[in-house]
Amino acid sequence: MDVGWVYTIQESMHAYAANVYTSVTEELSKVKDRRFIAVEQEFFRLWWDTVASDSHKRQVRQLVKEGRLEFIIGGQVMHDEAVTDLDDEILQMTEGHGFLYETFGVRPQFSWHVDPFGASATTPILFALAGFNAHLISRIDYDLKDTMQKNKNLQFVWRGSPSLKAQQEIFTHTMDQFSYCTPSHLPFSNSSGFYWNGVALFPDPPKDGVYPNMSLPVTKETVHAYAQTMVENIKQRAEWFRTNHVLWPWGCDKQFYNSSVQFNNMDPLMKYINQNSNEFGVTVQYATLSEYFQAIYQSNLTWDIRGSEDFLPYSTEPYQAWTGFYASRNVLKGVARRASSQLHAAETLFTRYRISYPDGPVTKDWALEKLRALRWAVSEVQHHDGITGTESPKVADMYLQHLMQAMMGVEELQAALFLLPHRLDRLNFLSSRYHSKGVDQVPEQHIIVYNPLAWNITTIINITVTFPNAAVFDEEGHAVPAQIQRSAQSNVTNDLFIVVELGGLQHRKYLIRFSQTPCSGSSKCTGTYKTKGVLFERRNVKDWRKTGRRLLPVLSDCYKLMFDQDTNLLHSITYLRQEKTTVTMTQDFWEYHANGDVKAGPISDNYIFSANSSAVRAYKAVEMEIIPGKIVWEIRQYFYREEGDEDYAYSIITRVPKCFGRQLNCLRLEQTYSLGPLQLNTEVVLRTSSSLKNHRTLYTDDNGYQMMKRPYRKFTNNTLARNYFPMVRAAYIEDDVSRLVMVSDRAHGVSSQADGQLEVMLHRRLWNNLAWNLGYNLTLNDSSVVRPTLWVMLRSVSATNKLFQREAIELQHRPVVMPIDQPQKPWPEKEPRSSSPVQSVVLPPNLHLLSLSIPGWNYSANHDVHLSQLHADLHLGKDLHSEPDYDRVLLRIMHLFEEGEDPELSKPVTINLKDVLQGIGEVKVLEERSLTGTWDITHMQRWKWKTVDKLETNEKTCGRCGNEAFTVTISPKEIRTFFVHFSSTNI
């Protein structure tokens, strides 16, 4: 059941989703043999909280206890695998699993990942870490599936991570060519085939229960024809698998809302086949997924191994490469990622607050309500028709509305967490050191800057201000390096760049003093540098005859960038320091012109990228402005569709930071682009062409977790589109000497179509006359202006190995900047108050704090106690709403590096969590858990499958192997999850 897609969640709940759970619950309770598997927790939780009667709830609890209603995956949604970030995949599973464990005491152990458009190698790793015993996929490349079918290789043991290997392997079943639905077309019935309840009706279900397109019922006259068709299909599928157990999925999208009709036709058909099993050679039974996998497991066969390859990209036919959705709805992809990083920051803030101020003025129930709203919104949009951009416009609007509303709520929470615990009133916020008698009072503004990472950082923040002059001071009254200049996006605002130094999970306060006139020699202004830009004449492409004659250098401590005044484009980059290597490089915009007429050939749409020809240059003239600065140089390039156009079609703003403090910020070039509104049936790429000899081999990330090698492949048809891959956080090309890396603030499509080339698809606007797309309004007529950000790095291969994982995370989790007030007259002076800064929390450079949150769900260290309590409640007829658990902190730490990737950073890291977390409070109890928290790691016994290499699974039985109870060792690519309880003196 799609959490979105064509209809909003509310429309789907009303039209069919609520009826699925109501009618299935009733029908399962009538006949003991019946079974049902349920996937999307969002719909189930909405039903449970708003629709289900007490009687339904009692029935569900009994069915779950008996194993006849089985929750599969158990996340809020069936998430996409190509453009989702692992943070959000883990979040949406944790939310669903927490609810299921608290409510029923169940822990999902199987997946049903049948609908995502391609399969990532990260998903089986995460499912293994969550305690799953088997994984099920369906949508993989059509010709690969065909080969696997013929060779009976649709089932295998998948070792998704080259570093974790057998430690997190999982048995994987691939659905055959019939996918996850029963056959719909039968010669003797209508097109619904085995779906007797018909087709879901929007907006309202029919009052008489008669749906359109209901199949012929199973009667004495039809039962044999139905049985024959079913058995033939079962036998056909059996040819492609190694055991005599055939998984025959009964159902499809939006089915079982009228399940009395469905079951009352299934029952007699199955009975008829079993009564005539000698004739048919087949017996059939209802089964949950766990019963099917149990039968396969008990067959005791030895299975082939699949290594760390994924199944991306995904094609269904020769001209249907599903690589367009990597870039569809860029705005939604950006907002979803921003919401996720805001949630991460707020979770860490609330956790610290709760431990430090258990009785503080921010009420815990209110705080958790705000966090849960954003958890829900971020989880929901991970659906495979959400963040993919493959939904109808009204559903995209729904996701955005849910995200924005929840983000506003969390902003309120963040403001409260920053301001209230310190009893921060306007009279004593900043000391009198800012003010001198006799100086004209000028407007001032106060901001708080928070670092949500468990690393010390020195970075540059950017604030948009209306005043042309500003001076910035820290809490001690010291001037802070800053730079102010006219904004690229507006003539009436200015960009104020401020250098901030922050410890891990630390925040600092700053004062900004504004004025209309520049400072004249006053010490109050010495820290701020005011810049002016130099505008270069517009250059027309048709006049590019001799290029490279007039090169203009832009220098930082790390790079020398050369810009060509004949073209106004980048010409080359030299990376300085030890290596001093020059790479020629240009960056500009190109357009693929898509076909929108199905009669004229393959089309591009929300899902599919089908390039009919090569890309063409997207502009005829380029303008450039360079703003030299002491903190950052900014190069603004504007691309005009026609030579005489007044407004530019595209732009690149490149910021070249200088080095500050302990860190080499200058290693990255920060680029923001502006694109749109696009012309119709246009797909726009940023093309970076370089002298690197990469032989069109590309590396892109799977969900921000691991990098995958993507060698260029030639196909009989559609080679261009089939060489596009998803870039969630990072992509790079390299040769023997240098590597060009890009890290992104949202997902894009990426390719290397020529030697030395890296092209990123940033935006798409499409319309076509395909009846399906018109009928469901899936035409992607996206007229928005998008402003994505990429950070670019060019170094040696070994230098970037140390760098790009951290840079990707720093881009994702940039400092939170919170203005406390509007620019106004200074506050009355008061005596300075003593304020010690919050203690920092710092992890080693190869470890990342993935989560620090208070989930609120009720777990139990003793699972049997939890179950007995739930069963006692069931026996007494209670449906108690548990009070949230505010004392249990969920901590996840991830090792960023692969085995052997770097001589030092790839080593296992041993840390004492009591020491690491002492800046937050005193750790009293540490308990290692499964990825989503529902299993005590020492009790989680996953099935061990026989494999051809007979490699034993290296299951760790010791969660904390060391002399001390709080010492843990984290190996390459491991994600370790803990419940932490802090000392009662704190909570």
Side-chain angles (χ1 to χ4, degrees):
M1 298 195 287
D2 291 312
V3 181
W5 192 40
V6 175
Y7 302 100
T8 66
I9 284 149
Q10 292 75 15
E11 287 173 324
S12 295
M13 274 296 287
H14 176 68
Y16 77 94
N19 283 353
V20 170
Y21 289 113
T22 300
S23 70
V24 163
T25 298
E26 292 166 356
E27 291 305 311
L28 290 183
S29 300
K30 290 175 186 173
V31 179
K32 286 283 184 192
D33 288 342
R34 292 172 176 173
R35 302 282 190 274
F36 196 79
I37 62 170
V39 177
E40 297 85 358
Q41 285 308 300
E42 174 149 349
F43 282 136
F44 180 79
R45 286 172 67 183
L46 287 170
W47 176 78
W48 184 261
D49 289 339
T50 63
V51 178
S53 66
D54 289 343
S55 168
H56 285 137
K57 288 184 177 182
R58 281 193 297 276
Q59 285 176 312
V60 167
R61 289 184 186 280
Q62 190 60 39
L63 291 167
V64 170
K65 184 182 174 186
E66 293 171 10
R68 298 200 294 116
L69 173 62
E70 183 169 81
F71 294 106
I72 301 296
I73 307 175
Q76 282 289 88
V77 297
M78 188 192 296
H79 67 254
D80 171 64
E81 299 191 42
V83 297
T84 41
D85 187 274
L86 87 149
D87 291 12
D88 306 321
E89 294 176 348
I90 295 169
L91 167 76
Q92 72 92 17
M93 285 215 309
T94 303
E95 278 303 282
H97 286 195
F99 166 79
L100 287 173
Y101 189 75
E102 179 177 285
T103 312
F104 304 111
V106 300
R107 301 177 284 204
Q109 292 174 53
F110 304 95
S111 90
W112 179 255
H113 247 231
V114 293
D115 212 20
F117 322 134
S120 156
T122 303
T123 308
I125 299 164
L126 298 182
F127 286 173
L129 287 166
F132 286 20
N133 286 314
H135 177 40
L136 186 145
I137 62 175
S138 181
R139 290 184 184 266
I140 67 170
D141 205 77
Y142 69 101
D143 48 8
L144 176 59
K145 181 178 278 195
D146 191 47
T147 304
M148 291 167 73
Q149 249 177 212
K150 286 173 184 161
N151 298 330
K152 294 195 176 187
N153 285 337
L154 290 169
Q155 294 173 320
F156 51 87
V157 170
W158 199 352
R159 293 181 183 154
S161 163
S163 296
L164 299 177
K165 302 182 184 70
Q167 189 184 324
Q168 299 303 342
E169 68 185 16
I170 197 164
F171 180 82
T172 304
H173 172 103
T174 314
M175 302 298 275
D176 55 48
Q177 69 186 42
F178 291 103
S179 188
Y180 61 93
C181 296
T182 39
S184 58
H185 181 70
L186 302 179
F188 56 87
S189 183
N190 59 23
S191 61
S192 287
F194 289 86
Y195 315 131
W196 292 277
N197 54 194
V199 176
L201 209 59
F202 287 82
D204 300 308
K207 291 189 169 53
D208 60 1
V210 178
Y211 286 81
N213 215 22
M214 293 171 78
S215 279
L216 283 175
V218 175
T219 62
K220 284 180 182 174
E221 291 74 33
T222 62
V223 68
H224 188 77
Y226 268 119
Q228 217 166 14
T229 307
M230 183 173 174
V231 168
E232 280 171 14
N233 186 262
I234 288 169
K235 287 181 174 177
Q236 188 179 354
R237 290 179 188 236
E239 288 294 312
W240 303 322
F241 293 94
R242 293 176 58 200
T243 75
N244 59 354
H245 303 291
V246 179
L247 175 62
W248 203 73
W250 210 330
C252 197
D253 296 4
K254 304 180 186 64
Q255 288 295 323
F256 285 88
Y257 45 79
N258 195 8
S259 62
S260 62
V261 178
Q262 191 65 29
F263 278 114
N264 286 333
N265 282 281
M266 292 159 79
D267 287 351
L269 174 54
M270 292 173 67
K271 185 178 178 185
Y272 180 81
I273 291 172
N274 288 339
Q275 284 174 340
N276 297 281
S277 60
N278 288 341
E279 176 197 338
F280 289 123
V282 162
T283 59
V284 290
Q285 69 179 70
Y286 288 118
T288 60
L289 206 55
S290 64
E291 288 172 311
Y292 169 71
F293 278 126
Q294 188 79 47
I296 300 300
Y297 184 59
Q298 287 170 352
S299 68
N300 209 26
L301 293 176
T302 300
W303 301 98
D304 286 342
I305 296 158
R306 187 174 183 86
S308 54
E309 314 112 284
D310 59 12
F311 293 93
L312 291 163
Y314 164 59
S315 291
T316 48
E317 291 172 36
Y319 285 100
Q320 298 211 336
W322 293 44
T323 58
F325 77 89
Y326 304 157
S328 295
R329 296 205 191 282
N330 185 284
V331 171
L332 178 62
K333 285 176 165 70
V335 172
R337 188 76 64 87
R338 203 165 73 238
S340 170
S341 61
Q342 185 186 10
L343 176 62
H344 173 83
E347 297 275 21
T348 57
L349 269 172
F350 175 60
T351 303
R352 285 198 82 143
Y353 180 89
R354 173 81 196 124
I355 293 160
S356 304
Y357 305 96
D359 303 313
V362 179
T363 59
K364 56 191 181 185
D365 290 346
W366 176 79
L368 188 61
E369 181 191 323
K370 297 290 182 193
L371 291 170
R372 280 185 164 171
L374 190 51
R375 289 175 194 168
W376 188 289
V378 171
S379 296
E380 165 187 279
V381 79
Q382 307 310 317
H383 169 60
H384 59 266
D385 281 303
I387 198 160
T388 51
T390 54
E391 66 277 7
S392 66
K394 69 176 175 184
V395 174
D397 291 343
M398 176 204 72
Y399 290 128
L400 284 168
Q401 183 188 1
H402 291 179
L403 287 165
M404 300 301 279
Q405 280 180 337
M407 288 165 80
M408 285 167 63
V410 164
E411 274 174 27
E412 280 181 59
L413 171 61
Q414 285 173 317
L417 293 170
F418 281 133
L419 300 176
L420 291 177
H422 308 290
R423 315 288 187 269
L424 205 60
D425 57 65
R426 288 192 153 194
L427 299 179
N428 67 358
F429 171 55
L430 292 160
S431 78
S432 57
R433 278 174 285 188
Y434 291 119
H435 307 297
S436 305
K437 286 180 180 153
V439 175
D440 288 338
Q441 289 198 331
V442 295
E444 58 185 40
Q445 184 178 10
H446 305 84
I447 62 169
I448 287 178
V449 184
Y450 174 63
N451 170 23
L453 295 168
W455 299 323
N456 297 329
I457 61 165
T458 303
T459 192
I460 300 165
I461 61 167
N462 178 22
I463 301 170
T464 302
V465 297
T466 52
F467 290 89
N469 299 285
V472 185
F473 303 91
D474 64 17
E475 290 165 292
E476 305 300 316
H478 300 135
V480 174
Q483 176 178 318
I484 194 164
Q485 62 199 45
R486 178 181 56 79
S487 294
Q489 303 295 346
S490 162
N491 286 326
V492 294
T493 59
N494 297 289
D495 287 329
L496 176 62
F497 297 101
I498 306 169
V499 178
V500 296
E501 267 192 72
L502 294 158
L505 304 188
Q506 237 182 19
H507 65 270
R508 294 185 69 179
K509 308 178 193 78
Y510 295 90
L511 168 76
I512 306 167
R513 303 186 74 214
F514 298 107
S515 78
Q516 292 291 353
T517 55
C519 297
S520 51
S522 163
S523 62
K524 290 277 183 285
C525 299
T526 50
T528 303
Y529 181 73
K530 187 174 171 87
T531 65
K532 281 195 174 160
V534 180
L535 194 60
F536 292 81
E537 188 183 336
R538 188 183 296 198
R539 295 294 180 187
N540 297 332
V541 174
K542 70 174 190 326
D543 299 331
W544 292 359
R545 298 209 164 55
K546 291 182 179 173
T547 59
R549 297 171 305 163
R550 297 185 300 147
L551 299 180
L552 190 74
V554 172
L555 274 164
S556 75
D557 300 313
C558 298
Y559 295 111
K560 179 170 74 173
L561 284 74
M562 302 297 272
F563 287 88
D564 190 336
Q565 293 180 67
D566 292 319
T567 63
N568 285 337
L569 296 182
L570 179 65
H571 174 272
S572 63
I573 299 180
T574 304
Y575 55 90
L576 308 174
R577 302 200 167 260
Q578 298 90 1
E579 303 107 323
K580 287 195 171 53
T581 302
T582 299
V583 176
T584 58
M585 190 185 300
T586 58
Q587 285 189 306
D588 57 357
F589 294 101
W590 292 68
E591 293 174 345
Y592 291 99
H593 292 154
N595 169 40
D597 182 3
V598 291
K599 292 177 183 168
I603 55 154
S604 280
D605 65 7
N606 280 31
Y607 307 87
I608 292 163
F609 172 43
S610 182
N612 293 344
S613 58
S614 302
V616 297
R617 200 185 300 277
Y619 59 93
K620 289 187 180 168
V622 190
E623 214 165 68
M624 180 169 68
E625 185 180 10
I626 295 183
I627 298 100
K630 288 189 175 172
I631 287 174
V632 63
W633 279 54
E634 192 169 88
I635 300 96
R636 302 172 179 176
Q637 293 164 291
Y638 303 104
F639 297 79
Y640 295 87
R641 195 177 297 287
E642 300 296 335
E643 291 172 3
D645 283 359
E646 198 173 320
D647 296 322
Y648 58 87
Y650 308 109
S651 72
I652 304 176
I653 309 295
T654 304
R655 289 179 182 148
V656 185
K658 302 285 185 176
C659 281
F660 289 97
R662 297 183 295 273
Q663 291 199 339
L664 292 173
N665 287 85
C666 61
L667 285 169
R668 63 186 180 227
L669 305 170
E670 302 180 2
Q671 293 193 323
T672 302
Y673 316 94
S674 174
L675 306 93
L678 304 186
Q679 294 183 332
L680 205 55
N681 286 332
T682 300
E683 299 166 276
V684 181
V685 299
L686 170 78
R687 183 173 283 179
T688 303
S689 302
S690 75
S691 55
L692 296 183
K693 304 294 180 200
N694 74 312
H695 309 295
R696 298 192 287 193
T697 294
L698 172 72
Y699 293 80
T700 73
D701 66 319
D702 262 10
N703 313 104
Y705 176 74
Q706 58 188 346
M707 299 303 292
M708 312 297 288
K709 186 176 182 177
R710 313 290 193 187
Y712 187 86
R713 293 170 62 201
K714 288 191 174 170
F715 298 92
T716 310
N717 303 302
N718 217 21
T719 291
L720 196 158
R722 291 180 82 172
N723 278 290
Y724 253 84
F725 298 90
M727 167 196 193
V728 176
R729 285 190 198 169
Y732 60 77
I733 60 172
E734 66 184 24
D735 61 14
D736 295 339
V737 179
S738 307
R739 179 187 283 166
L740 171 68
V741 184
M742 290 185 169
V743 297
S744 62
D745 71 340
R746 66 197 71 184
H748 304 290
V750 64
S751 188
S752 181
Q753 296 287 343
D755 202 20
Q757 203 179 83
L758 184 61
E759 71 175 41
V760 183
M761 189 177 288
L762 296 176
H763 199 13
R764 318 173 77 218
R765 183 181 183 185
L766 303 164
W767 187 92
N768 66 74
N769 59 358
L770 184 67
W772 164 274
N773 287 338
L774 293 177
Y776 287 128
N777 196 10
L778 294 174
T779 51
L780 198 66
N781 190 0
D782 184 352
S783 58
S784 56
V785 176
V786 305
R787 293 190 173 90
T789 294
L790 293 174
W791 286 358
V792 182
M793 286 153 280
L794 180 68
R795 307 299 294 172
S796 66
V797 171
S798 59
T800 54
N801 271 344
K802 298 178 194 299
L803 188 68
F804 77 90
Q805 294 97 329
R806 276 180 63 109
E807 290 291 315
I809 289 167
E810 285 196 26
L811 173 55
Q812 191 149 338
H813 297 293
R814 284 168 282 189
V816 176
V817 180
M818 179 151 288
I820 295 170
D821 48 26
Q822 297 297 320
Q824 58 191 298
K825 286 288 165 83
W827 296 338
E829 296 178 15
K830 279 280 173 183
E831 285 304 304
R833 62 188 180 86
S834 60
S835 158
S836 56
V838 176
Q839 274 190 275
S840 61
V841 175
V842 182
L843 287 171
N846 44 6
L847 298 185
H848 169 45
L849 181 70
L850 208 57
S851 311
L852 182 71
S853 66
I854 295 175
W857 299 113
N858 282 276
Y859 301 91
S860 176
N862 189 325
H863 182 61
D864 294 335
V865 170
H866 187 72
L867 284 181
S868 61
Q869 182 61 52
L870 286 169
H871 293 156
D873 291 346
L874 174 63
H875 185 69
L876 295 169
K878 290 185 194 172
D879 181 33
L880 299 175
H881 276 284
S882 305
E883 282 299 306
D885 180 349
Y886 289 99
D887 297 344
R888 189 186 305 275
V889 173
L890 176 70
L891 169 73
R892 284 191 196 95
I893 297 177
M894 174 180 168
H895 197 302
L896 293 177
F897 287 80
E898 295 282 3
E899 214 170 60
E901 188 174 9
D902 182 86
E904 287 304 314
L905 295 169
S906 288
K907 290 178 179 174
V909 189
T910 301
I911 54 173
N912 184 305
L913 286 174
K914 198 179 181 80
D915 294 344
V916 168
L917 298 173
Q918 66 182 359
I920 297 176
E922 187 189 347
V923 175
K924 184 175 63 174
V925 178
L926 188 67
E927 180 187 343
E928 183 154 17
R929 306 292 292 190
S930 60
L931 182 69
T932 60
T934 55
W935 291 89
D936 180 319
I937 206 80
T938 55
H939 296 140
M940 190 174 82
Q941 297 294 322
R942 292 175 58 236
W943 295 353
K944 293 180 173 64
W945 297 80
K946 279 189 182 176
T947 53
V948 288
D949 66 351
K950 300 183 175 60
L951 193 62
E952 279 298 308
T953 304
N954 180 21
E955 291 278 1
K956 292 194 175 172
T957 52
C958 174
R960 295 175 295 286
C961 306
N963 297 329
E964 296 186 47
F966 303 103
T967 300
V968 299
T969 298
I970 302 173
S971 298
K973 281 297 164 192
E974 274 194 331
I975 299 172
R976 303 280 292 273
T977 304
F978 304 91
F979 283 158
V980 185
H981 287 268
F982 286 85
S983 170
S984 54
T985 58
N986 297 100
I987 284 192

